[in-house]
């Protein structure tokens, strides 16, 4: 639920929701809507059709002192091109940090200032540092009905030039044919490196067991294809095919847990120890391979109600990261969305 108020130039909202930004259909990389809803307040400012600035502050758990902040700038220099740049900060504290709440400086600068306020030595990162991410995306309408898009997110900004070790990228294309029945075809490739969204000092981009960024989490990669047909204003049909890979690092936690001084279980160097480039770009351990297809039907009479039904099947190899173990799994979902 949320309360919203908007004019031509300004939008304000407060309530409980999650956030999904970026052009991707399977989820954004920085703010991907992969977690459950959380308490938040935000605003959006429009400068005609040229610029849009969006900012929000989220209370993941006020009792535990876990907060998140996102802001984003959309720039449309020409009608067929949209550029976006966004930042996210995940921090802990006894109260809200004003630098993140009022958005007068970039989060990169805010993190630097807050880190400098801490004590020298090991406690600087573990007690005072936030977790800062930055993402950029672009959507380009090449011809009417044909759009190319991409997003890149960096989760390991290092001023000494030794990274990055944690990042994610996404690329896709969409083709739409308008007519009595609207047909849409779309392809999307996503890759999220191991250990992304998590850090050894605990400021993880997690809430209610889900990732605030891309829903499938780190150490994953997938290719998805969609075909959608709008029969009329109320009814639509769709098909989806997917090929996905998931490494053992998907839910394994941060790059450098406190229990590992120099190396993690996969033999790669810890974030702050050892020499050489860390290996977050490789899938960890035994990789689970999943492929399948889904068919869907949706009924949406007006703007208040949407009912969607999906059914399909998935073939899984190396199930649960056990080499040689396979299974065939049915897939299904029923979604009812009611707004008033």
């Amino acid at each position: 639920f949320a309360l919203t108020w908007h004019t031509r130039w300004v939008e304000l909202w407060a309530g409980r929701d999650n956030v999904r930004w970026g052009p991707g259909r399977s989820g954004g990389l920085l703010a991907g809507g992969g977690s459950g809803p959380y308490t938040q307040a935000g605003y959006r400012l429009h400068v005609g059709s040229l610029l849009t600035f969006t900012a929000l502050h989220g209370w993941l758990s006020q009792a535990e002192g876990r907060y998140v902040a996102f802001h984003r700038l959309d720039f449309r220099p020409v009608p067929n091109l949209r550029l976006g740049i966004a930042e996210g900060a995940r921090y802990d504290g006894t109260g809200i940090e004003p630098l993140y709440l009022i958005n007068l400086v970039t989060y990169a600068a805010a993190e630097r200032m807050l880190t400098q306020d801490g004590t020298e030595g090991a406690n600087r990162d573990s007690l005072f540092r936030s977790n800062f991410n930055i993402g950029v995306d672009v959507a380009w309408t090449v011809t009417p009905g044909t759009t190319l898009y991409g997003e890149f997110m960096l989760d390991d900004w290092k001023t000494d030039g030794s990274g990055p070790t944690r990042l994610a990228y996404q690329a896709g294309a969409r083709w739409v044919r308008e007519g009595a029945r609207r047909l849409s075809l779309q392809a999307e490739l996503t890759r999220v490196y191991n250990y992304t969204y998590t850090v050894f000092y605990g400021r993880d981009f997690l809430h209610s067991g889900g990732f605030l960024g891309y829903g499938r989490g780190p150490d994953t990669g997938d290719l998805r294809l969609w075909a959608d047909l709008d029969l009329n204003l109320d009814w639509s049909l769709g098909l989806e095919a997917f090929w996905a890979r998931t490494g053992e690092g998907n839910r394994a936690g941060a790059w450098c847990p406190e229990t590992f001084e120099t190396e993690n279980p996969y033999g790669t160097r810890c974030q702050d120890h050892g020499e050489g480039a860390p290996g977050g770009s490789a899938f960890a351990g035994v990789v689970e391979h999943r492929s399948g297809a889904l068919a869907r039907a949706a009924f949406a009479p007006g703007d208040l109600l949407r009912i969607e039904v999906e059914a399909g099947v998935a073939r899984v190899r190396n199930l649960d990261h056990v080499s040689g173990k396979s299974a065939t799994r049915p897939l299904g979902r029923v979604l009812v969305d009611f707004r008033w």
Side-chain angles (χ1 to χ4, degrees):
F1 64 88
L3 297 174
T4 63
W5 177 82
H6 62 90
T7 69
R8 182 180 178 183
W9 309 103
V10 180
E11 299 176 51
L12 304 173
W13 70 89
R16 194 164 178 86
D17 205 345
N18 57 21
V19 182
R20 180 169 171 173
W21 289 343
R25 176 166 173 171
S26 60
L29 302 180
L30 179 67
S35 75
Y38 53 91
T39 303
Q40 61 179 252
Y43 64 90
R44 182 174 291 116
L45 305 176
H46 300 279
V47 182
S49 60
L50 180 65
L51 293 173
T52 300
F53 179 75
T54 307
L56 69 89
H57 194 278
W59 290 255
L60 301 182
S61 173
Q62 187 157 344
E64 299 175 354
R66 296 188 292 111
Y67 305 97
V68 67
F70 293 106
H71 61 194
R72 174 183 177 88
L73 180 66
D74 286 285
F75 176 53
R76 193 181 293 272
V78 292
N80 65 333
L81 181 65
R82 185 195 54 74
L83 305 172
I85 182 169
E87 293 180 303
R90 209 347 234 117
Y91 68 95
D92 291 352
T94 57
I96 300 169
E97 172 52 54
L99 287 177
Y100 294 131
L101 183 64
I102 61 181
N103 287 285
L104 291 180
V105 296
T106 66
Y107 292 165
E111 181 189 49
R112 198 73 174 269
M113 288 184 284
L114 294 173
T115 302
Q116 290 171 352
D117 290 341
T119 59
E120 294 289 344
N123 285 342
R124 168 171 286 189
D125 279 346
S126 62
L127 296 181
F128 295 96
R129 187 182 177 187
S130 69
N131 187 11
F132 160 74
N133 295 348
I134 185 169
V136 294
D137 59 78
V138 59
W140 176 34
T141 303
V142 183
T143 61
T146 303
T147 301
L148 303 178
Y149 62 88
E151 183 178 2
F152 176 81
M153 189 202 73
L154 186 62
D155 186 22
D156 193 13
W157 185 268
K158 293 185 176 180
T159 57
D160 61 2
S162 61
T165 56
R166 304 189 304 274
L167 55 84
Y169 58 83
Q170 185 177 84
R174 181 171 56 251
W175 176 81
V176 179
R177 189 192 71 179
E178 302 287 354
R181 291 183 174 87
R182 184 176 185 268
L183 175 64
S184 174
L185 304 177
Q186 188 170 356
E188 187 170 283
L189 173 68
T190 307
R191 176 73 172 97
V192 183
Y193 279 19
N194 199 358
Y195 309 107
T196 305
Y197 307 123
T198 57
V199 288
F200 70 93
Y201 45 86
R203 275 61 165 170
D204 300 332
F205 279 81
L206 285 165
H207 177 61
S208 299
F211 292 92
L212 298 174
Y214 193 63
R216 295 191 61 232
D219 207 18
T220 60
D222 59 29
L223 172 65
R224 294 176 182 268
L225 306 176
W226 294 275
D228 297 283
L229 179 64
D230 293 338
L231 300 177
N232 49 48
L233 292 177
D234 295 340
W235 286 94
S236 62
L237 303 175
L239 293 173
E240 177 183 349
F242 61 89
W243 297 263
R245 291 184 293 173
T246 305
E248 289 188 52
N250 182 248
R251 305 278 170 171
W255 184 281
C256 186
E258 296 178 357
T259 53
F260 307 127
E261 290 186 1
T262 57
E263 295 186 355
N264 61 42
Y266 310 115
T268 54
R269 293 290 185 180
C270 257
Q271 175 178 322
D272 290 343
H273 301 273
E275 298 179 356
S281 61
F283 287 99
V286 177
V287 181
E288 182 182 272
H289 296 257
R290 184 180 297 262
S291 59
L294 283 162
R296 68 171 58 88
F299 176 59
D303 298 329
L304 302 182
L305 177 65
R306 179 180 178 84
I307 302 173
E308 188 173 308
V309 179
E310 289 184 344
V313 64
R315 178 64 178 171
V316 187
R317 292 188 293 115
N318 298 336
L319 179 66
D320 297 327
H321 307 288
V322 178
S323 182
K325 184 179 180 180
S326 300
T328 300
R329 296 284 177 83
L331 304 175
R333 184 180 73 152
V334 177
L335 173 68
V336 179
D337 186 3
F338 177 65
R339 300 174 183 269
W340 71 96

